[in-house]
Amino acid sequence: MAKKAKTLGVNLPVPQSTEEATTAIADIGALNREIGRFNADANDRIAEINKVLADKVLPLQERVTALTEGLKVWAEAHRASLTNGGKVKFANLVTGTISWRNLPPKVSLRKVDDVITAIKQMGLGKKFLRTKEEVDKEAMLKEADRARTVAGVTIGSAGEEFIVEPFEVDAPGAQA
């Protein structure tokens, strides 16, 4: 049974001449500019909304911070009674809960090269240093014929992309 050939361009406005192709590119440019105007308008509106929101929320956030810090001072002063002598790390109050959490430990490094050198000098390399092994894809692309001989490696085509770039003029001093 013969395969049915795919028909490209069905239900698409396919230009039938160079003039129609030129018009299509101009239309694409006009549509892209219109999309850009809609996006710019939306971004302007979003910026206005964000400014109004920030103006209204900032004083509220400052008040929450002040209340939280004051509550923390009070809770620390009464921690023993609130936590039943340290048996629990929370206190249920009528309107909510306060609690204390231990943060997980973290390692901070300054001058990483010096730290690595010190670890090696102390003989702690196997405990505190790791070696990461990974495939060098850039090297494989440079030697594609040889890389193809490795089981599991496929060097594919980068493909081809069709690009339409309508000519546009930027006004002097205009920013995109």
Side-chain angles (χ1 to χ4, degrees):
M1 186 177 238
K3 284 187 176 180
K4 192 173 186 180
K6 289 184 181 178
T7 305
L8 296 177
V10 174
N11 296 325
L12 295 175
V14 178
Q16 300 299 310
S17 66
T18 302
E19 291 78 21
E20 287 182 12
T22 302
T23 300
I25 293 171
D27 290 348
I28 290 169
L31 293 168
N32 283 338
R33 287 188 296 279
E34 188 171 357
I35 291 168
R37 284 190 289 275
F38 285 132
N39 284 335
D41 184 46
N43 287 330
D44 289 344
R45 290 180 184 183
I46 290 169
E48 289 173 20
I49 291 169
N50 283 337
K51 179 168 182 350
V52 169
L53 180 64
D55 291 345
K56 290 182 178 182
V57 169
L58 184 62
L60 301 176
Q61 287 176 327
E62 290 171 349
R63 180 76 174 131
V64 167
T65 299
L67 288 169
T68 302
E69 289 301 314
L71 185 58
K72 181 180 176 185
V73 170
W74 175 83
E76 288 296 332
H78 297 89
R79 188 170 185 164
S81 63
L82 291 169
T83 62
N84 197 12
K87 292 181 182 174
V88 294
K89 292 189 169 263
F90 64 92
N92 287 323
L93 304 175
V94 176
T95 56
T97 303
I98 56 173
S99 61
W100 291 264
R101 287 190 202 134
N102 288 327
L103 299 174
K106 68 176 184 174
V107 176
S108 299
L109 304 174
R110 286 178 284 116
K111 299 183 180 178
V112 176
D113 290 339
D114 293 345
V115 172
I116 291 171
T117 301
I119 289 171
K120 288 178 181 177
Q121 289 173 348
M122 295 173 71
L124 299 171
K126 290 187 179 190
K127 286 187 177 199
F128 295 148
L129 296 178
R130 63 177 156 214
T131 303
K132 184 177 178 182
E133 229 175 310
E134 61 185 5
V135 176
D136 186 348
K137 292 180 181 179
E138 292 83 14
M140 289 185 142
L141 287 173
K142 289 177 185 173
E143 297 185 49
D145 290 337
R146 188 168 190 185
R148 281 186 184 95
T149 64
V150 178
V153 174
T154 303
I155 308 289
S157 167
E160 183 177 70
E161 187 177 28
F162 180 73
I163 300 169
V164 177
E165 294 180 357
F167 294 124
E168 306 219 352
V169 175
D170 287 331
Q175 293 179 352

